[in-house]
Amino acid sequence: MEALFTSTFTVAIAEIGDKTQLLALLLAARFRNKSAIILGIFLSTLINHFAAAWLGQFAFSWLDPQWARYLIAASFVAIAIWVLVPDKMDDDDNRFYKLGAFAATFILFFIAEMGDKTQIATVVLAAKYDALSMVVLGTTLGMLIANVPVVLLGHFSAEKLPMKLIHRLCAVLFALLGIATLFY
């Protein structure tokens, strides 16, 4: 349960203000079918984060446990620093819009999540917790918790949040995960 809770909470917080959340806002403005957008986010994240979690467990299984612990701790601290850098939306890739709400969301979210801080966090969380399904479920829930309100409420939800405070709290959370990894 710790893997599920930690994965859900950290990704939900890390996702606030992330480029994929901005993408969710753009897609919600472009398409009327909100359920297709949400389904696209869900399936894209599930597949992307499953691959990331599997890679995290596989890669770290080859390392000496002591070295793996240090690398995981350092990775959490690196993510903490990365979270402090605000994301900007890349060029709007509208060639996928003609595919419809679901397909456009699925493809664009999958691409946007590649190498994103929440995907990297999934790799590290899966390496820390030997519970692949709980990490994938948690990170996917975290993405949905952060993005579904944006899809449903649009600008109203994103503009009212204290982004600097949220990013700082998220950075503290990842730093604490790094420190805790060293001692547990």
Side-chain angles (χ1 to χ4, degrees):
M1 290 309 288
E2 181 184 349
L4 176 67
F5 176 75
T6 303
S7 298
T8 301
F9 186 71
T10 55
V11 168
I13 297 298
E15 181 64 11
I16 297 173
D18 192 68
K19 68 182 172 188
T20 46
Q21 192 176 50
L22 299 173
L23 176 60
L25 186 61
L26 287 173
L27 291 164
R30 173 73 170 96
F31 296 107
R32 289 180 174 257
N33 189 347
K34 306 305 184 207
S35 58
I37 295 169
I38 293 167
L39 183 61
I41 291 170
F42 169 70
L43 290 176
S44 176
T45 301
L46 186 66
I47 293 167
N48 191 298
H49 285 200
F50 175 79
W54 180 85
L55 178 65
Q57 284 192 342
F58 177 76
F60 281 87
S61 71
W62 289 88
L63 294 174
D64 174 81
Q66 189 67 22
W67 282 105
R69 191 173 84 196
Y70 292 140
L71 187 56
I72 291 167
S75 297
F76 277 130
V77 172
I79 293 169
I81 294 167
W82 188 5
V83 165
L84 295 173
V85 178
D87 271 338
K88 293 182 179 106
M89 194 60 202
D90 297 332
D91 293 334
D92 187 20
D93 196 351
N94 59 15
R95 65 184 163 174
F96 296 110
Y97 289 169
K98 65 184 173 194
L99 300 174
F102 171 76
T105 301
F106 182 87
I107 293 167
L108 291 171
F109 250 79
F110 194 88
I111 293 168
E113 199 52 23
M114 298 301 289
D116 194 51
K117 63 183 148 256
T118 50
Q119 186 192 43
I120 302 302
T122 302
V123 170
V124 177
L125 287 161
K128 177 174 175 50
Y129 300 104
D130 192 24
L132 183 120
S133 61
M134 290 293 107
V135 169
V136 172
L137 180 61
T139 59
T140 302
L141 282 173
M143 289 288 283
L144 292 173
I145 289 168
N147 288 305
V148 168
V150 171
V151 171
L152 297 177
L153 302 174
H155 284 297
F156 179 75
S157 62
E159 292 177 348
K160 307 291 184 208
L161 298 173
M163 297 307 293
K164 283 186 180 183
L165 176 63
I166 290 168
H167 285 146
R168 287 178 183 153
L169 290 173
C170 185
V172 168
L173 177 65
F174 276 110
L176 289 173
L177 281 170
I179 293 166
T181 300
L182 290 175
F183 297 106
Y184 299 105

